[in-house]
Amino acid sequence: MQRRQFIKAGCATIAAIGIHPFSSAKALTRKCGVKTPPLNVRRKVEGQLKAFRMHSMSMLTNKKIVIPIHYHIIHAGSEGKISEKDIAAQTDVLNKDLQPYGITFTQKAVDYYDNEDWYVADMIDHVKAKLGKDPTSCLNFYSSGLLQSGLLGYATFPWDKKDLGLMDGVVCNASTFPNGEEPYNLGRTATHEVGHWLGLFHTFQDGCSGNGDEVADTIAHDQPDYGCPSQSKQQACDGKSFSPLNNFMNYSDDQCLTELSEGQMARIKEMVGKYRPEFLVAGNDAPTTSPVASESGYQSITGEGSSDTVIGGGSEGTFAITE
Ligand SMILES: [Zn+2]
């Protein structure tokens, strides 16, 4: 499909921004749109996790986590139309980043939707209910322009899955896929957002007060880090350590996001056991083969949307931009 000269849709007119499929309207800074849950919800979740830890940990024995991904690629002509190769590379990045922690991803399907209005929208919650698949069968992974919000991505938390239904899932800015825009072009926004989808908070959650990210071995810090360690060394709340620049749940550039803590991994396992048990499968959680190599490829590439379609309604307000 030929690229249009102007992308309309009310909020933005993007003219002549180049033919790169990941062009965005403005320079990006890492900004994640997850909603911080209310305190009563956080207390309830931590209580449920504690109970799971006391009574149900055996269900994790000899189990590994395998998550099929259903990609929903929203694009405007060639803008944001991520190639099959780059989608496969994104799955590869998730495996490279999280397989060492016992989480494997497979590629279940890829759907493309050519819709300018959706592509330029600041968030796409109003279309998720239309496009989403059964959240107990896959991770619904959306890509769109998110042009007005400037978000790199946002995600839902596992404890909300039952209430959200088809709204469950991860959304990433199209420019964050592999071969997108530097310095967020290595696919690690997805790793970060999937971290939320598996129950992790930002490492700077609550700053130097409150319960932080609810993980004991991630050092508390007040503000997100940007750039890379050579450019930013922020002191942590204890006054003597540095903030965890390399943690996937911080805001550093992609090339410097490389790790989770043991506590975060333990939290993910408990979260999956409690809220997403459908992704537990029999087997040792230390993977021995590459899931990407063993996958046969795409199951389907379907669902061309109509650029004239506008879907209203949705569950606006489910998410809030916290920064
Ligand atoms: Zn985030």
Side-chain angles (χ1 to χ4, degrees):
M1 180 176 288
Q2 209 167 24
R3 184 180 174 278
R4 299 183 182 184
Q5 290 301 305
F6 295 89
I7 298 177
K8 50 178 177 58
C11 41
T13 298
I14 306 159
I17 55 176
I19 57 171
H20 191 284
F22 301 109
S23 294
S24 62
K26 50 194 169 189
L28 293 170
T29 302
R30 191 177 299 284
K31 191 165 72 168
C32 166
V34 295
K35 174 186 178 182
T36 299
L39 201 54
N40 63 320
V41 173
R42 288 182 66 175
R43 283 185 178 145
K44 184 179 167 191
V45 167
E46 297 310 317
Q48 289 175 339
L49 271 193
K50 188 178 176 186
F52 178 87
R53 207 173 297 133
M54 289 175 69
H55 305 296
S56 307
M57 287 295 278
S58 60
M59 72 178 284
L60 298 176
T61 305
N62 295 324
K63 296 284 175 56
K64 58 182 180 180
I65 300 170
V66 179
I67 300 171
I69 304 176
H70 193 122
Y71 285 100
H72 305 272
I73 309 297
I74 296 168
H75 59 100
S78 63
E79 289 284 340
K81 192 168 186 181
I82 299 160
S83 70
E84 295 172 25
K85 187 180 167 194
D86 287 339
I87 293 168
Q90 179 63 81
T91 308
D92 221 349
V93 168
L94 285 167
N95 277 313
K96 198 175 287 180
D97 287 350
L98 297 179
Q99 213 176 24
Y101 302 96
I103 310 168
T104 295
F105 298 87
T106 63
Q107 201 159 293
K108 184 176 184 185
V110 180
D111 287 336
Y112 286 94
Y113 310 94
D114 187 0
N115 189 309
E116 290 178 1
D117 292 334
W118 296 354
Y119 185 73
V120 301
D122 55 353
M123 299 175 106
I124 56 159
D125 296 333
H126 57 303
V127 300
K128 285 163 76 179
K130 165 92 173 167
L131 308 183
K133 307 298 179 189
D134 179 2
T136 64
S137 69
C138 65
L139 160 59
N140 282 293
F141 189 128
Y142 301 86
S143 167
S144 193
L146 305 178
L147 293 185
Q148 286 305 293
S149 63
L151 292 174
L152 289 198
Y154 61 101
T156 59
F157 288 117
W159 51 86
D160 288 329
K161 183 188 74 178
K162 258 188 186 170
D163 292 336
L164 291 177
L166 296 179
M167 304 293 288
D168 183 78
V170 160
V171 182
C172 283
N173 190 310
S175 68
T176 66
F177 273 61
N179 295 316
E181 285 185 28
E182 292 184 356
Y184 308 114
N185 59 337
L186 302 179
R188 295 220 158 98
T189 296
T191 309
H192 176 106
E193 298 304 336
V194 168
H196 288 311
W197 186 78
L198 292 169
L200 299 183
F201 292 123
H202 293 130
T203 52
F204 50 88
Q205 177 72 48
D206 294 353
C208 294
S209 59
N211 287 341
D213 65 353
E214 309 284 358
V215 176
D217 65 353
T218 52
I219 192 146
H221 61 117
D222 198 24
Q223 298 289 330
D225 291 280
Y226 296 94
C228 278
S230 61
Q231 302 156 340
S232 164
K233 269 205 163 185
Q234 185 191 193
Q235 204 155 46
C237 295
D238 65 6
K240 53 188 179 184
S241 312
F242 290 112
S243 54
L245 287 155
N246 300 119
N247 196 289
F248 289 126
M249 302 315 291
N250 202 340
Y251 269 15
S252 310
D253 291 350
D254 272 16
Q255 62 175 304
C256 296
L257 295 181
T258 57
E259 63 187 21
L260 292 177
S261 72
E262 285 185 20
Q264 285 173 311
M265 189 57 244
R267 181 175 175 85
I268 284 176
K269 285 181 178 166
E270 291 167 8
M271 285 280 177
V272 172
K274 174 65 185 167
Y275 301 111
R276 300 194 188 278
E278 55 273 11
F279 300 120
L280 289 173
V281 300
N284 193 315
D285 68 1
T288 54
T289 57
S290 163
V292 174
S294 65
E295 280 294 297
S296 59
Y298 305 105
Q299 189 178 75
S300 66
I301 297 177
T302 57
E304 282 286 317
S306 163
S307 59
D308 296 319
T309 304
V310 177
I311 295 178
S315 300
E316 289 177 3
T318 301
F319 304 92
I321 301 171
T322 54
E323 198 174 1

